Amino acid sequence: MLNGLHRFHGINSLTPAYKRGQTIRSGQMTLRYADNPRRDTYRVAVVVSKKVDKSAVVRNRIRRRVYEAVRLEATTIQRPYDLVLTVFNTQIATTDMVALRKQVADLLRRAAKDSGAKATGHAIVNQKKIREK
């Protein structure tokens, strides 16, 4: 699990990420990200709707698995971003962890490209660390 330092806390804490964030979509989830210069570290939230699965057990399993995939990719995140991963496919509950981790890494990498890394000199993730894996 992610440390509490890397989680969102409080009512309306996701609102800034939804209002000014950019979106990257993959086959099973969406990443919404926004730069947060007020913080020293990144924050992550995983949103799983009841439309994905009616069972709270399955939704919580999906949430835990995605948090773990983000935790394993945390060494590549180099700036204080607000990251909101919205899951919309129940297959993530049974997806192989290697494939899930690759999907999260791919979303982060695509977000780094879209964030204008070449223009500003920074990206969400460190591209060198992703290539080493």
Side-chain angles (χ1 to χ4, degrees):
M1 280 308 246
L2 277 177
N3 187 348
L5 180 67
H6 300 295
R7 290 177 179 254
F8 284 86
H9 299 289
I11 299 171
N12 296 328
S13 60
L14 293 176
T15 304
Y18 278 113
K19 281 188 177 178
R20 58 185 170 78
Q22 297 174 331
T23 305
I24 302 290
R25 186 176 170 114
S26 73
Q28 297 178 333
M29 68 178 85
T30 300
L31 171 66
R32 184 172 288 264
Y33 62 96
D35 192 18
N36 190 349
R38 294 186 214 162
R39 296 189 55 86
D40 295 330
T41 62
Y42 65 93
R43 292 190 298 179
V44 178
V46 178
V47 178
V48 184
S49 170
K50 275 190 179 179
K51 290 180 181 179
V52 173
D53 198 299
K54 297 294 182 195
S55 171
V57 174
V58 175
R59 290 194 313 271
N60 289 334
R61 179 178 298 130
I62 291 169
R63 198 172 289 114
R64 284 191 310 268
R65 288 171 55 88
V66 174
Y67 272 127
E68 180 64 14
V70 171
R71 187 187 69 82
L72 294 172
E73 294 297 324
T75 58
T76 62
I77 301 172
Q78 58 184 9
R79 298 228 19 233
Y81 274 86
D82 289 343
L83 306 170
V84 180
L85 288 154
T86 305
V87 177
F88 50 85
N89 193 330
T90 190
Q91 290 178 346
I92 289 186
T94 57
T95 301
D96 182 36
M97 194 61 189
V98 175
L100 180 60
R101 184 176 176 187
K102 184 178 181 225
Q103 188 173 4
V104 168
D106 182 52
L107 281 171
L108 291 172
R109 183 178 43 77
R110 286 174 45 204
K113 285 182 182 178
D114 287 352
S115 68
K118 293 177 183 170
T120 62
H122 5 81
I124 292 176
V125 296
N126 187 346
Q127 296 292 336
K128 291 179 183 176
K129 288 189 179 184
I130 289 177
R131 285 188 206 124
E132 291 172 1
K133 291 181 182 177

